[in-house]
Structures are given as C-alpha cells and as structure tokens.
Amino acid sequence: MKFKTNIHPPKMADRLFEWYCENASIEDLHGDVEELFYDDLERMSAGEARLTYWRRIVSLMFSYSVKRRKQKSSLSTYSNASMNFTMIRHYVKIALRNLIKNKAFSVINILGLSIAISCCVLLTLFIQDEFSYDRHFNEADRIYRLTTTLKTTNGQISLLQRSSPPIGPALLAEYPEVESVTRVVKDLSTIEQMLRYQDQSFFEKRGYQVDSNFFEMFPYEFMEGNPAKALKQPWSLVLSEELAHKIFGSKPALDELISIPTNSDTGIFKVTGVIKRTPLRSHLDADFYISGLEQVLQPFTTWASGNFVFTYLKVKKGTDIQNLVAKFPALMLRKGEKENQAMGRKKILGLQPLLEAHLYSKHFQNDIELGTSGSITYIYITAAIGLLILVLASINFINLTTARASQRASEIGLRKAIGAHRMNLFLQFIGESMGTALMAMVVSVLLIYFALPYFNSLVQKDIEITAQNFPFVIEVLFAFALITGFVAGIYPSIVLSSYETVHLLKDKKLRLGSSNLMRKGMIAFQFSISVILISCIIVIQQQLHFIQTRPLGFDSLNKIMLPLRTSQATNRYLQFKNEIRNIPGVAEVTACSNSPSTPPTNDWNFYPAGKSENDAVAHYIIYVDEDYFKVMSIPTIAGRDFSFPGDAITGSTAQARRVIVNRTSLMKMGIDPSKALGAKVFFATGNTADEIVGAVEDFHQFSLHKPISPLIFYASKDTGVFHQGIVALNAGYNEATISKIKQAWTKLVPDTPFEYELLNDSVQHQYENDRRISTIIACSTILAIVISCMGLYGLSIFIAENRTKEIGIRKVLGSTVGGIMALLSKEFLQILSISFLMSIPISYWAAQEWLKNFAYQIAVGPGSFFIAWAISLIVVMIAISYESYKAAKTNPVNSLKSE
C-alpha cells in the first residue's frame, strides 16, 4: 500500500509518551510500537491504526508508572539518606564549577538579578508605605470622610472631600448609626504658617484647627501631655515631636506659650501636648494642631456654601453604610434645598472610607487637601515597573542558560546514560537557578543599603529599615529571590532535561530548535519594553518642555512674591509699597489675594441680567490692588482697568460693585465681549447686581492640568484680604535691589521675617510631581536598558564563540571585518525592528493615558517613537559591537587549525 507511506504515528501521542516516561528507558519500546503501527497500516485503515497506536501508548505509560513505583519503593530507604546528601553535594560542586568556568555569564546573571531584586524590594517598601496610611488607628474601618458632590443646572459637577460646617454635627444628632463626629480645618490664607517663640520664627506647612474630640477618634501617641484633655480648652496647641525639638530643643515643651500670627490677628497658644514620632503614617499627620474649632464654626449656618471643612464620622459596629448614605438626601432637602436652589445647584453628600482617603482621592478637587495625597494609579505604575525589571532580568537568565546548553550536552547525556531520571536533571538545573538567585539576593542587600537614601529622595519619602520592618524586608528578599530563581529557571530546566540520550552522546551538542525561537521572542520582548519606556520618557519631557514654554497669559519673569502672613504685614502694606517704589531696580508694586500658581479657594455662582439662578456659573474670586493687571501684563479685551479709589470696595458691602472678569467668564455666561462693558451680573443668593467695567484675556491662574476657569476680580481698599505682595523688578536687577527691599520690610514690619519667592519658581512648583514621575520613569528606563544590554552582551559572546569556525572560513574566503560585524549584528537588528512595531501601539496608549492629566497637552506624533527606536538601536549596537569586532579581528588560523 504505497499510498500509505506518508502516514505517520500521531505526534501528540509521541509527545505525551516522551513527556511522561524517561527518555533513556523508552527508545526500544517506542521503536517497537512504531513498527507495529506500520504493520497495522497494511491490514486496517489509517484511523484504526492511529486508534490502536494510542491504545498501546496508554498501556505502556500505565506499565511504566507501575514499574517506577516499585523502583522507588525498593530504594526509598537508601535514597532518602546518604544518597540524597551525596547527590546534593555533587550538584552544588557542579553548579559552582559552572559559575567559575563561565565568569562573564555568571556575572551578568547575578548582577542583573540583583539589580532587579533590589528594585523590587525598594518599590515594595514604597507600596507598603503608601498602603499603610491611617491603618494604625483603632477601628479605622468604621471611620469615614464626608464628601460633597455639587451639580449645577447647566451640567457642571464638582467633587469635594469637604463639606459645610454644620453638616457633621447635624448627622450626629439625626442618625443613631453615627457614633461620633470630628472636624478639621486648614488655614486657606497661606501655604505656610508662622509660629513665634520668644524672638524666633518657624514656618510650617501642616497646621490644622480641629474639634476638641479629634484625638478621641484619632488616638495619636503622646510623649508629653494627656491626649484626652489636650484640646479641651481654647487656645491649646499640640506639637509634633519634630517641631517641639526644633523650637525647644531637649527641654520640655508642655505649658510653653507660642504665638501664631495671621493676616488678620495674632493668637497666643499654650502647648498642651507633644505627639511622639512613629513610622506609622496618616493623611491627617501635621506639625501642629490647635483647638477651638467649635467656637470658630459656630456662626456658620449655611448648608449650601462654605465647603471648607473636613468632616469625619465614626459609625457604630454593624452599620450598613449604603443605607446610611441613602438617608442623607432627605436631610439635605429639609435643611439646605432652598439655599442650594437659589444658587442653581444640587448638593449630594457621600462617605469615603478613611482607609481610601490617601490613595483614592485624585478625583476630588485637590486644591485644598490635608497632607500629601497619593494615587492608586501611581501604585499600579510602580508595581508594573518593578515587575518589568524583574521580567527583563529573568529573560536574561533564561536566554543565557539555554544559549550555554550546548556546552553541557556531554554532561547531560552521560548522566542519563548511567540512569539519571528526567526529574533528577530538572531538580539539578532548577536548583542551580535558585542558587544563582540567592547569590543575587546577597548582592542586592548591599545595593539596597546604598540606594535607599537616593530612592527616598526620588519618591520624597523617609523609608527606613528598622527593627519593626526588618522581618518583612527579609521575607520580601527571599520571596523575590526564590520566585525569580524558580520562574527564570523552570524553562531552561525543562529544555535541558528533555533531550534524548542517544542524540546527546552522538552529536555532542544540543539541538535547540524551538528554544532559539523562544529566545528570539524574549529578546524582542526586552527590546519592546525598552522602546516603550524610552518613548514614554520622550513624551513626558516634551510635555514638560511644553509646560515651561507655553504662554501663560501673564508675565512671570522678574517678579517676586512677598507673603503677607501677619496682620502687621497687611496693615503696613501700603506704607511698604510706597517705600520700595523708589528703590532703583523696582518697577512697580501690587498685591492680591491669590497670585497665579496660588489657587483661590472662594467660589461663588453668578448669572447675567436676563437669566436666572439656574444659569449661574461658578467663579473663583480674586481681590486685587491697584495696577494688578498692568504689573502682571494681562491684556484687557473689553472696557478698562480698575480706577482707584472709586472702584475699590472695603469688606463685604451690599451696594453694587464694579468687577472685571476673564474671557472664559463671558463665554460661560453667554456675554459677547463687545457688549461686556456695563453688563450686570448677579450673585446667585443675592439681589445686588455687580457691574462689569472690564474684561481681561484668559490666563492660567491654575496649572496646565486644569482648564481655565471663570474668574471675577474685585478691587479692594481693605489690605487685610491680600495674601501676597508682588514686586515687579527691572530686567537685570541684582541682589542689592533685594537687599534694599528687605531693609524696608524689616523697618516697617519688624515682627515678620522677610521672605520672598520668584513668581516663575512658584509657577514651576506646580509641576514637581510630574517632574518626579519623569525622573522615576527615566531611572527605570536606564535600569531596563542596562539589564537588557547585559543580556545582549552575553548573547553576543555566545554567538561569537558558536560561530568561530564560520567566521574563520569567511575571513579566508575574503570577508572584511565590517562584513563579519554586519553578519553577527543582523539577527539583533531584525529582532529590534520587529519589537519596534510591537511597541508602537502600547507606547501610544501609555502616552495618551498620561497626557489625560493635562488640560493642555502636546500632540503625540511618530517622531517620538522613531527617536526611541534610534536610541534603542544605538544602545544595541554599543552592547554587541565589542564582541562582534573582537570575533571579526580574530586570526582565522587560530580558529581553523584544529580542522
């Protein structure tokens, strides 16, 4: 039956038989079964012959299983004792000899894995720190933060992690499910608050005024004072251990008096407690807490506006949170519906678990936030970066191990010939892999020790390895080492233990077959990761450059901001202004409640004449001094600038006021700029009309993360509303100018230390987080490239050694050094081209996702990806060129003399 000569036994049955049974024991049996198959073809159909073949294979597998069980039973006592110990000692010797014999490959594997393990441990410590916020408080799972959602009738939605002052106490009185309520308020008038002790001044960013029961809900550990009584009296002050040490040194702080001036008055506070420094973290951590919030908030009765209070609720055990939240709308309808309707919006209350406050608050308006807010998105990015670096190092190990497999053909064949089972070889190779990973773990301990301070600086943390977290660090080290060793070693172990004895002893080398394809695929994956990371860092840098060079709508150059922190500073501002105007180098002086880059916190709803409260548009309110728009170089698009003192107001007044708005305000309210002059706008809850006397061009009051918002400006005679003085300096000013300004300040405002900041620096501070992310990704990119290049260098050594005779023959036949280098580099360049095509869609998606954080962004074009590919190409050529050139320059006589 010649027509059946092309029919072969089922390959799947052969593979199953070879996988289950030991290769050294099956060759004769397998040959017999194969002969029977071809005999069957002579007397039955192909389908029946295949079915019979499958039946015989399964029968042989069963027989082999019974035989192996008997062998294990008869040898168990001996093998479990001295034989196992002897074999393990032998395996360790072989592993060490291989490490020493192949020094370059061993160094690449150990160094690559140690870098990856170090990165993963550091990133794990960072992630652990981020997830630890607020978890140390007793019954933290029963504490929630009150949230507010504002929906206007024209579709605007604002999400706030704050609420109005009276809502918290009302919830406690209305609902028995609420066990206790406490409130926190942050001073919105300044970024830093000044504390004075005797003749010293201290500036601190984190200072909160709290309810008297704050430490009952959040039981911080005190080193001085009694937390149960610390805030019960007005004018009480609780300090952190760091601030107490800064002010008082080693002497006790309890009962000392500290003054805290503001731009309206100065309070004298008695220190009633000092909080002990611990590694435990909370978004409520502060440098100091002051009492008396109940008295401050008592006059506030509004349920619609005044959303500046952070309110925390502790519910009773077993409370159904969804049912509790479902009761809030009825309370809002009863207490605040009329006022909210007058403002043209709806107010919805919600609850956010305390344990989510740190990582899950990016969707709220974060212009006002307690402490530093983390992001679960950045946690995912951090984890992905660590995993990718670990994968890249594992790929190096897999590629180099399988590439060196041909050097161990005789060893593997001899072991199988004298009776080694496949499982013995598998365990040997997986043990070598895990041993290499444990060596890398030892090296990574040193890397972590030296890298931790730089890592803390990068992520702005103060992570320490202490007695408390040392066991966790050791567990993480061993976990990463063992998992990496197993994952990186499992594929080479399977491949190396799978070859047949006859082929190994006959050919003296391993036929890698599909392993070569797998290796190329993993190299392509490495290149893809590198191209993606390089593309992302290019896009980030382009966006940051765009931010720094985009016109902001105002002139930030040659301007300094002077914080008006105290009542003395605001009261004597006009004298100071007149004093420094005559200083050489000073062009002009003005002041405002919120300069660009210091977001305003007051937002009121306005609607134009001819419309109703339902059409009201939220505006940010800014109070300005004379010549503000002139000093800031903000152009007028309609009407005029403020005329002082005629347009200026003093405090809140019921009479009509003259205002200036920006272009976005006109657009949102539907007012044509050509008709803006004289237009009337109404505050949503009042009947008094404000008159628009001018409109200015849009400018970026906030960072470029946010779109331009409607702004409304009032001219003010009351200097108490000003938080910053702005001094415009002539181009080319010098330190002598600043020195004379300081002298004038010291003379007129002696109780307030002189301090200033360049307006341009303040603008750039808004993008510190973006620059930090850029640095993190840049460092990750460098590490990824270094690890990939180490692997490429190792592979280039292997390829050069494997093709030594081929290179010698080519040189004898006239090949040039450049031709041989091109030959050795060709394979890598092909893989790089394929990986470039693979990386483009992922790179584009990642870039677009990050750019969504900006209201104003660059357009991502193909240029970024081609630049990334070109950088990768240069790096690859550097990594492989040395060994390629070295192989190409080798004397062919040396490589061919044994032939």
Short mmCIF file of all heavy atoms in Angstrom, two decimals, residues 511-551:
data_model
loop_
_atom_site.label_atom_id
_atom_site.label_comp_id
_atom_site.label_asym_id
_atom_site.label_seq_id
_atom_site.Cartn_x
_atom_site.Cartn_y
_atom_site.Cartn_z
N ARG A 511 20.50 20.26 20.08
CA ARG A 511 19.74 20.89 19.00
C ARG A 511 18.65 21.74 19.65
O ARG A 511 17.65 21.21 20.13
CB ARG A 511 19.11 19.82 18.10
CG ARG A 511 20.11 18.83 17.54
CD ARG A 511 21.00 19.45 16.50
NE ARG A 511 21.91 18.50 15.90
CZ ARG A 511 22.83 18.80 15.00
NH1 ARG A 511 22.97 20.06 14.62
NH2 ARG A 511 23.62 17.88 14.49
N LEU A 512 18.84 23.05 19.66
CA LEU A 512 17.94 23.90 20.44
C LEU A 512 16.56 24.03 19.82
O LEU A 512 15.57 24.18 20.50
CB LEU A 512 18.57 25.28 20.63
CG LEU A 512 19.84 25.26 21.48
CD1 LEU A 512 20.45 26.63 21.52
CD2 LEU A 512 19.58 24.73 22.86
N GLY A 513 16.48 24.00 18.51
CA GLY A 513 15.19 24.04 17.83
C GLY A 513 14.32 25.18 18.28
O GLY A 513 14.63 26.35 18.10
N SER A 514 13.18 24.83 18.91
CA SER A 514 12.22 25.85 19.34
C SER A 514 12.80 26.78 20.40
O SER A 514 12.30 27.88 20.59
CB SER A 514 10.95 25.17 19.88
OG SER A 514 11.27 24.37 21.00
N SER A 515 13.86 26.37 21.11
CA SER A 515 14.47 27.23 22.11
C SER A 515 15.05 28.48 21.47
O SER A 515 15.01 29.56 22.05
CB SER A 515 15.58 26.47 22.86
OG SER A 515 15.03 25.38 23.56
N ASN A 516 15.61 28.34 20.25
CA ASN A 516 16.10 29.51 19.53
C ASN A 516 14.97 30.48 19.25
O ASN A 516 15.12 31.70 19.41
CB ASN A 516 16.76 29.08 18.22
CG ASN A 516 18.19 28.60 18.43
OD1 ASN A 516 18.87 29.09 19.31
ND2 ASN A 516 18.62 27.63 17.64
N LEU A 517 13.84 29.96 18.83
CA LEU A 517 12.68 30.81 18.55
C LEU A 517 12.19 31.49 19.82
O LEU A 517 11.86 32.68 19.82
CB LEU A 517 11.56 29.98 17.92
CG LEU A 517 10.30 30.73 17.51
CD1 LEU A 517 10.62 31.79 16.45
CD2 LEU A 517 9.24 29.76 16.99
N MET A 518 12.17 30.71 20.91
CA MET A 518 11.74 31.28 22.19
C MET A 518 12.70 32.40 22.61
O MET A 518 12.27 33.45 23.10
CB MET A 518 11.69 30.18 23.25
CG MET A 518 11.36 30.67 24.64
SD MET A 518 9.64 31.23 24.79
CE MET A 518 8.81 29.65 24.89
N ARG A 519 14.01 32.16 22.42
CA ARG A 519 14.99 33.16 22.82
C ARG A 519 14.82 34.44 22.02
O ARG A 519 14.89 35.55 22.56
CB ARG A 519 16.40 32.61 22.65
CG ARG A 519 17.47 33.57 23.18
CD ARG A 519 18.81 32.89 23.37
NE ARG A 519 19.39 32.44 22.12
CZ ARG A 519 19.52 31.17 21.77
NH1 ARG A 519 19.10 30.21 22.58
NH2 ARG A 519 20.07 30.83 20.61
N LYS A 520 14.58 34.31 20.73
CA LYS A 520 14.36 35.49 19.89
C LYS A 520 13.11 36.25 20.34
O LYS A 520 13.09 37.48 20.36
CB LYS A 520 14.24 35.08 18.43
CG LYS A 520 15.54 34.58 17.81
CD LYS A 520 15.33 34.14 16.37
CE LYS A 520 16.63 33.61 15.77
NZ LYS A 520 16.45 33.13 14.38
N GLY A 521 12.08 35.48 20.69
CA GLY A 521 10.85 36.13 21.17
C GLY A 521 11.07 36.91 22.44
O GLY A 521 10.56 38.02 22.60
N MET A 522 11.86 36.35 23.35
CA MET A 522 12.12 37.05 24.61
C MET A 522 13.02 38.27 24.40
O MET A 522 12.86 39.29 25.07
CB MET A 522 12.73 36.08 25.62
CG MET A 522 11.72 35.06 26.14
SD MET A 522 12.32 34.04 27.50
CE MET A 522 13.45 32.97 26.64
N ILE A 523 13.97 38.17 23.46
CA ILE A 523 14.79 39.35 23.14
C ILE A 523 13.90 40.44 22.55
O ILE A 523 14.05 41.63 22.89
CB ILE A 523 15.91 38.97 22.14
CG1 ILE A 523 16.92 38.03 22.81
CG2 ILE A 523 16.64 40.22 21.67
CD1 ILE A 523 17.94 37.48 21.86
N ALA A 524 12.96 40.06 21.69
CA ALA A 524 12.03 41.04 21.12
C ALA A 524 11.21 41.70 22.22
O ALA A 524 10.94 42.91 22.18
CB ALA A 524 11.12 40.37 20.10
N PHE A 525 10.79 40.92 23.21
CA PHE A 525 10.03 41.47 24.34
C PHE A 525 10.88 42.48 25.10
O PHE A 525 10.40 43.56 25.47
CB PHE A 525 9.58 40.34 25.26
CG PHE A 525 8.84 40.82 26.47
CD1 PHE A 525 7.50 41.19 26.38
CD2 PHE A 525 9.46 40.91 27.71
CE1 PHE A 525 6.80 41.63 27.50
CE2 PHE A 525 8.78 41.36 28.83
CZ PHE A 525 7.45 41.71 28.72
N GLN A 526 12.16 42.15 25.35
CA GLN A 526 13.06 43.09 26.03
C GLN A 526 13.18 44.39 25.26
O GLN A 526 13.09 45.48 25.84
CB GLN A 526 14.44 42.46 26.20
CG GLN A 526 14.56 41.48 27.34
CD GLN A 526 15.99 41.05 27.55
OE1 GLN A 526 16.71 40.73 26.61
NE2 GLN A 526 16.43 41.02 28.79
N PHE A 527 13.41 44.28 23.96
CA PHE A 527 13.53 45.49 23.15
C PHE A 527 12.24 46.30 23.19
O PHE A 527 12.27 47.53 23.25
CB PHE A 527 13.85 45.11 21.70
CG PHE A 527 15.27 44.67 21.48
CD1 PHE A 527 15.62 43.91 20.38
CD2 PHE A 527 16.27 45.02 22.37
CE1 PHE A 527 16.92 43.50 20.18
CE2 PHE A 527 17.58 44.62 22.18
CZ PHE A 527 17.91 43.85 21.08
N SER A 528 11.10 45.61 23.16
CA SER A 528 9.81 46.31 23.17
C SER A 528 9.65 47.12 24.44
O SER A 528 9.21 48.28 24.41
CB SER A 528 8.66 45.30 23.04
OG SER A 528 8.72 44.62 21.82
N ILE A 529 9.99 46.51 25.59
CA ILE A 529 9.89 47.23 26.87
C ILE A 529 10.79 48.46 26.85
O ILE A 529 10.40 49.54 27.28
CB ILE A 529 10.26 46.30 28.03
CG1 ILE A 529 9.25 45.14 28.14
CG2 ILE A 529 10.32 47.07 29.34
CD1 ILE A 529 7.82 45.57 28.35
N SER A 530 12.01 48.29 26.35
CA SER A 530 12.94 49.41 26.29
C SER A 530 12.40 50.53 25.41
O SER A 530 12.45 51.71 25.78
CB SER A 530 14.30 48.95 25.77
OG SER A 530 14.87 47.98 26.62
N VAL A 531 11.86 50.18 24.24
CA VAL A 531 11.33 51.20 23.32
C VAL A 531 10.12 51.90 23.95
O VAL A 531 9.98 53.12 23.85
CB VAL A 531 10.94 50.56 21.97
CG1 VAL A 531 10.20 51.58 21.09
CG2 VAL A 531 12.18 50.06 21.25
N ILE A 532 9.26 51.13 24.65
CA ILE A 532 8.09 51.72 25.30
C ILE A 532 8.52 52.72 26.37
O ILE A 532 8.01 53.86 26.43
CB ILE A 532 7.20 50.62 25.91
CG1 ILE A 532 6.52 49.81 24.80
CG2 ILE A 532 6.14 51.22 26.84
CD1 ILE A 532 5.83 48.55 25.30
N LEU A 533 9.46 52.33 27.21
CA LEU A 533 9.92 53.22 28.28
C LEU A 533 10.61 54.46 27.71
O LEU A 533 10.38 55.58 28.19
CB LEU A 533 10.86 52.47 29.22
CG LEU A 533 10.21 51.40 30.11
CD1 LEU A 533 11.27 50.63 30.87
CD2 LEU A 533 9.22 52.02 31.07
N ILE A 534 11.43 54.27 26.70
CA ILE A 534 12.10 55.43 26.09
C ILE A 534 11.08 56.35 25.44
O ILE A 534 11.17 57.58 25.56
CB ILE A 534 13.15 54.96 25.07
CG1 ILE A 534 14.27 54.19 25.77
CG2 ILE A 534 13.75 56.15 24.33
CD1 ILE A 534 15.25 53.52 24.82
N SER A 535 10.08 55.78 24.77
CA SER A 535 9.03 56.60 24.14
C SER A 535 8.29 57.41 25.20
O SER A 535 8.01 58.61 25.00
CB SER A 535 8.05 55.70 23.39
OG SER A 535 8.69 54.98 22.37
N CYS A 536 7.96 56.76 26.32
CA CYS A 536 7.22 57.45 27.38
C CYS A 536 8.04 58.61 27.96
O CYS A 536 7.50 59.70 28.19
CB CYS A 536 6.84 56.47 28.48
SG CYS A 536 5.54 55.31 28.00
N ILE A 537 9.33 58.37 28.19
CA ILE A 537 10.13 59.44 28.79
C ILE A 537 10.30 60.58 27.80
O ILE A 537 10.35 61.76 28.18
CB ILE A 537 11.50 58.89 29.26
CG1 ILE A 537 12.14 59.87 30.24
CG2 ILE A 537 12.45 58.63 28.12
CD1 ILE A 537 11.39 60.06 31.52
N ILE A 538 10.35 60.30 26.50
CA ILE A 538 10.43 61.37 25.49
C ILE A 538 9.16 62.20 25.50
O ILE A 538 9.20 63.44 25.49
CB ILE A 538 10.70 60.76 24.10
CG1 ILE A 538 12.12 60.21 24.01
CG2 ILE A 538 10.49 61.81 23.00
CD1 ILE A 538 12.40 59.44 22.74
N VAL A 539 8.00 61.53 25.55
CA VAL A 539 6.72 62.25 25.57
C VAL A 539 6.61 63.10 26.83
O VAL A 539 6.17 64.26 26.78
CB VAL A 539 5.54 61.26 25.47
CG1 VAL A 539 4.21 61.97 25.72
CG2 VAL A 539 5.52 60.60 24.09
N ILE A 540 7.00 62.54 27.98
CA ILE A 540 6.93 63.29 29.23
C ILE A 540 7.82 64.53 29.18
O ILE A 540 7.41 65.63 29.57
CB ILE A 540 7.34 62.38 30.41
CG1 ILE A 540 6.26 61.32 30.65
CG2 ILE A 540 7.54 63.21 31.68
CD1 ILE A 540 6.65 60.28 31.67
N GLN A 541 9.03 64.38 28.66
CA GLN A 541 9.93 65.52 28.56
C GLN A 541 9.39 66.57 27.59
O GLN A 541 9.51 67.78 27.84
CB GLN A 541 11.32 65.05 28.11
CG GLN A 541 12.08 64.27 29.16
CD GLN A 541 12.30 65.07 30.43
OE1 GLN A 541 12.59 66.26 30.40
NE2 GLN A 541 12.14 64.41 31.57
N GLN A 542 8.77 66.12 26.50
CA GLN A 542 8.19 67.07 25.55
C GLN A 542 7.04 67.84 26.20
O GLN A 542 6.89 69.05 26.00
CB GLN A 542 7.70 66.32 24.30
CG GLN A 542 8.82 65.82 23.41
CD GLN A 542 8.30 64.99 22.25
OE1 GLN A 542 7.18 64.45 22.30
NE2 GLN A 542 9.10 64.86 21.20
N GLN A 543 6.22 67.13 27.01
CA GLN A 543 5.10 67.80 27.68
C GLN A 543 5.61 68.79 28.73
O GLN A 543 5.09 69.90 28.85
CB GLN A 543 4.18 66.76 28.33
CG GLN A 543 3.04 67.33 29.15
CD GLN A 543 2.02 68.10 28.31
OE1 GLN A 543 1.97 67.94 27.10
NE2 GLN A 543 1.21 68.91 28.97
N LEU A 544 6.64 68.40 29.48
CA LEU A 544 7.20 69.31 30.47
C LEU A 544 7.83 70.53 29.80
O LEU A 544 7.73 71.66 30.31
CB LEU A 544 8.24 68.58 31.33
CG LEU A 544 7.70 67.49 32.26
CD1 LEU A 544 8.83 66.81 33.02
CD2 LEU A 544 6.68 68.06 33.25
N HIS A 545 8.46 70.32 28.66
CA HIS A 545 9.01 71.46 27.90
C HIS A 545 7.87 72.36 27.40
O HIS A 545 7.97 73.59 27.44
CB HIS A 545 9.84 70.96 26.73
CG HIS A 545 10.37 72.06 25.85
ND1 HIS A 545 11.41 72.89 26.24
CD2 HIS A 545 10.00 72.49 24.60
CE1 HIS A 545 11.65 73.77 25.28
NE2 HIS A 545 10.81 73.55 24.29
N PHE A 546 6.79 71.73 26.97
CA PHE A 546 5.61 72.47 26.51
C PHE A 546 5.05 73.33 27.65
O PHE A 546 4.68 74.50 27.45
CB PHE A 546 4.56 71.49 26.00
CG PHE A 546 3.22 72.10 25.72
CD1 PHE A 546 3.01 72.85 24.58
CD2 PHE A 546 2.16 71.92 26.60
CE1 PHE A 546 1.76 73.41 24.31
CE2 PHE A 546 0.92 72.47 26.35
CZ PHE A 546 0.72 73.23 25.20
N ILE A 547 5.01 72.75 28.85
CA ILE A 547 4.51 73.49 30.01
C ILE A 547 5.38 74.70 30.31
O ILE A 547 4.90 75.79 30.62
CB ILE A 547 4.45 72.55 31.24
CG1 ILE A 547 3.32 71.54 31.08
CG2 ILE A 547 4.27 73.34 32.52
CD1 ILE A 547 3.35 70.45 32.12
N GLN A 548 6.69 74.50 30.23
CA GLN A 548 7.62 75.57 30.59
C GLN A 548 7.67 76.68 29.55
O GLN A 548 8.04 77.80 29.87
CB GLN A 548 9.02 74.97 30.78
CG GLN A 548 9.10 74.07 32.00
CD GLN A 548 10.41 73.29 32.06
OE1 GLN A 548 11.17 73.28 31.10
NE2 GLN A 548 10.67 72.63 33.18
N THR A 549 7.31 76.37 28.31
CA THR A 549 7.43 77.37 27.24
C THR A 549 6.09 77.91 26.77
O THR A 549 6.07 78.91 26.05
CB THR A 549 8.18 76.76 26.03
OG1 THR A 549 7.48 75.57 25.58
CG2 THR A 549 9.60 76.37 26.41
N ARG A 550 4.99 77.28 27.16
CA ARG A 550 3.68 77.76 26.71
C ARG A 550 3.38 79.12 27.34
O ARG A 550 3.55 79.31 28.55
CB ARG A 550 2.59 76.76 27.09
CG ARG A 550 1.17 77.25 26.77
CD ARG A 550 0.13 76.26 27.26
NE ARG A 550 -1.20 76.83 27.22
CZ ARG A 550 -2.01 76.81 26.15
NH1 ARG A 550 -1.59 76.23 25.04
NH2 ARG A 550 -3.21 77.35 26.19
N PRO A 551 2.91 80.07 26.55
CA PRO A 551 2.50 81.36 27.13
C PRO A 551 1.37 81.16 28.14
O PRO A 551 0.37 80.50 27.87
CB PRO A 551 2.01 82.15 25.91
CG PRO A 551 2.68 81.51 24.73
CD PRO A 551 2.79 80.06 25.07
#
